[in-house]
Amino acid sequence: MPRSLPQAVLLVDGYNIIGAWPCLKKIRDTDGLEASRWQLIEDLTNYSAYQGYITQVVFDAHYQDTCSNYEAVTENLSVYYTSFGETADTYIEKVCAGFRPYLRGVVPNVTTSKNSKLPPIYSRISRIIVATSDRAQQLTVVGYGAECLSAAQLKFEVQTTACRVRRGKTSARKPASRFLANSIDTKARQRLAEMRMGLKKT
């Protein structure tokens, strides 16, 4: 079951993950970048809800002359497109730097920063996790007190969570009987038993 309160913020370097997951690379190459982005978002939606994480998927827009864009997908998951000239790495590092005092418990009452684009849940957060396979970025964010998940580790966790959810749904359903006799009513079963024992003629 998902946790009742958010325990962690998960920041995902979107294009880094797309480039590292073979399934997403295939979608990107056959159906385009937009399709691979939304497949990643879909994969992370159930994972975030199950884990109780506040997840933000960050995509670079530094090659396009556009402003930053924030989109809330669910209560647990949002997408952030960086502004022109800003990389996903830079944005993620800024957020981690901003979280540093809160992770240490220095500031008890925290409100949402306009720049962070994250929900006002800092006071309930004990961890910040960055999902990327960029080694340089991993070293930087660890210095701010964040934890790291490689693309492979994130994929494993997402798949494991999906299996747990499926198992939970299956076990919640009443299993169908393998035997026809179990699907008929008590009176009919009793009559069949009597017939087998030769107690009643047909």
Side-chain angles (χ1 to χ4, degrees):
M1 292 291 292
R3 299 172 180 86
S4 57
L5 291 176
Q7 300 294 311
V9 166
L10 172 64
L11 298 171
V12 179
D13 186 340
Y15 289 137
N16 182 275
I17 300 301
I18 288 173
W21 288 12
C23 55
L24 294 180
K25 279 176 71 175
K26 185 176 181 181
I27 293 171
R28 181 195 65 191
D29 295 342
T30 56
D31 301 323
L33 202 52
E34 182 72 10
S36 64
R37 280 198 296 258
W38 282 105
Q39 184 59 56
L40 174 61
I41 291 164
E42 186 177 320
D43 290 343
L44 291 173
T45 298
N46 291 334
Y47 172 71
S48 301
Y50 186 88
Q51 296 293 342
Y53 291 165
I54 296 297
T55 298
Q56 187 168 79
V57 189
V58 185
F59 293 110
D60 287 319
H62 66 289
Y63 294 124
Q64 300 176 22
D65 192 6
T66 56
C67 296
S68 61
N69 184 35
Y70 169 82
E71 182 179 348
V73 179
T74 68
E75 185 180 348
N76 286 73
L77 187 138
S78 62
V79 180
Y80 183 74
Y81 296 91
T82 67
S83 58
F84 177 71
E86 182 182 33
T87 66
D89 289 7
T90 303
Y91 173 79
I92 289 171
E93 288 162 16
K94 282 180 184 175
V95 174
C96 290
F99 262 106
R100 190 175 192 175
Y102 312 129
L103 295 176
R104 294 179 174 182
V106 176
V107 185
N109 297 315
V110 188
T111 56
T112 304
S113 161
K114 289 182 181 178
N115 295 327
S116 73
K117 302 288 185 184
L118 288 169
I121 41 70
Y122 291 173
S123 59
R124 295 181 288 177
I125 295 300
S126 58
R127 301 163 63 201
I128 183 164
I129 306 164
V130 175
T132 181
S133 284
D134 184 324
R135 183 63 180 158
Q137 188 181 24
Q138 288 176 345
L139 292 172
T140 302
V141 298
V142 165
Y144 293 124
E147 302 168 37
C148 288
L149 272 179
S150 69
Q153 289 170 323
L154 179 64
K155 184 174 179 62
F156 175 78
E157 288 203 6
V158 167
Q159 290 175 334
T160 302
T161 298
C163 288
R164 285 176 183 158
V165 170
R166 281 196 297 270
R167 273 203 306 270
K169 287 179 180 176
T170 303
S171 61
R173 297 192 199 112
K174 190 175 181 179
S177 175
R178 292 169 48 213
F179 302 104
L180 177 63
N182 290 337
S183 65
I184 58 179
D185 61 55
T186 308
K187 188 179 270 189
R189 273 204 305 273
Q190 185 178 356
R191 179 171 166 76
L192 283 171
E194 288 171 349
M195 286 169 65
R196 281 197 305 272
M197 301 286 288
L199 300 176
K200 219 173 212 184
K201 293 183 181 178
T202 55

